[in-house]
Amino acid sequence: MAATPHSARVFIAVDPVQDYEETLTILGVYGSLAAAQVGVRQHRARPHGPYAGWPGRSTEVQEWVGDEHRKTWTYRPATGWREG
């Protein structure tokens, strides 16, 4: 179903699959890109969280309008945020 002007627009912070034994993990659902990026930084800063021993892991924020995936922003500690 195509997105309409009344479709919900959300930004989903995810820990994407990065190894063959993993599954995608949703970290949070946000109403704006800025809020999602803050949420990702807070999640990554947890000293005993999933990123404590994995500083090189990437994290994504995905923009969804209705059931359409529009954009993805990827965060890597070495390079920061990148759209694509």
Side-chain angles (χ1 to χ4, degrees):
M1 175 183 287
T4 68
H6 304 289
S7 295
R9 180 179 182 204
V10 298
F11 296 85
I12 303 172
V14 300
D15 178 15
V17 175
Q18 297 176 51
D19 193 9
Y20 68 94
E21 293 181 348
E22 294 183 354
T23 60
L24 180 132
T25 303
I26 295 175
L27 306 174
V29 179
Y30 301 90
S32 72
L33 175 60
Q37 288 176 331
V38 168
V40 164
R41 286 193 298 271
Q42 289 175 344
H43 187 76
R44 291 185 65 95
R46 293 181 182 156
H48 300 291
Y51 295 99
W54 300 88
R57 286 183 69 88
S58 65
T59 312
E60 293 180 353
V61 172
Q62 300 176 355
E63 178 186 12
W64 288 81
V65 178
D67 61 354
E68 290 181 10
H69 177 247
R70 296 279 173 95
K71 293 182 185 176
T72 299
W73 293 265
T74 302
Y75 177 79
R76 289 186 175 84
T79 59
W81 287 101
R82 180 169 289 163
E83 184 178 344

